[in-house]
Amino acid sequence: MYYYTEDFDDQLDKIEIYQRYPLLKPFVGSDYGRNGPRILLIAESHYLPASSTAHNDSESWYLGLESDLNPEKEQPWMRTRGILSKPYRGWKKRGHAIYRHLESALVKAGLPISDSVFQQVAFMNAFQRPAKEGDSIKHTKQDVEVAVETINQVIDTLRPDHIVFVSTKAKRAVGKHLSQSSSGFHHPACPWWNRKQDGMSSKQRFIDHISSHWNATGAA
């Protein structure tokens, strides 16, 4: 079962990076905007396995094509919609901790579980070049430029009511250049997600933030 919609793909398919790497297209939940506000979650980047080299150089990556990548060993790592389109509590892999933690926080914020909590939101990564396995991306000026251009076009297409970064690195590098204001929180898979600052963890701040928007619209 799929938990996303392709209703926005006519516009998303016009974005250059998605023409080169269609697998990077945002996950747009099948109930996006139906039960509450339109919330766009923006994380950091995908990863490619340690043996991969296609993403080592940013200039080469942005000139490359998805077909250059191994369909079995590399492509599944950056299939945004495939990764997000899982039933409730469907993320078992160690590298998918971000989705487990986000899912739990969204439920605590009041979003309906249904079959998949992510049905209610849209999700994408800020940086359109994957990082090395197990590492945070060392972004270049080009990475930031492509990220800003891509996200702004996604904003024009999805018209979110709220943009929420779940990566302080992405928020700091990209957020100030976007056409719409955004909020930012620590990456759900990093220690700072649960570490308290001024008496409250980033996780709790995220829950409170999402909850305030969700409940303000009278969503069930």
Side-chain angles (χ1 to χ4, degrees), residues 39-80:
I39 297 173
L40 172 61
L41 301 176
I42 304 180
E44 194 167 299
S45 74
H46 280 304
Y47 303 91
L48 282 180
S51 58
S52 299
T53 59
H55 60 314
N56 287 353
D57 177 72
S58 60
E59 187 173 353
S60 298
W61 174 259
Y62 295 116
L63 292 174
L65 297 171
E66 189 174 288
S67 57
D68 298 333
L69 303 174
N70 186 296
E72 296 179 357
K73 297 181 179 179
E74 294 176 309
Q75 290 185 15
W77 288 61
M78 47 186 276
R79 185 175 285 123
T80 306

Side-chain angles (χ1 to χ4, degrees), residues 1 3 84-91 103 115-117:
M1 180 177 179
Y3 299 108
L84 268 290
S85 193
K86 289 181 173 59
Y88 182 54
R89 294 182 174 174
W91 292 274
E103 177 185 68
D115 294 318
S116 166
V117 181

Side-chain angles (χ1 to χ4, degrees), residues 181-198:
S181 62
S182 63
S183 55
F185 302 88
H186 289 289
H187 193 289
C190 82
W192 286 103
W193 179 247
N194 291 302
R195 191 172 297 167
K196 289 185 177 181
Q197 291 178 298
D198 298 325

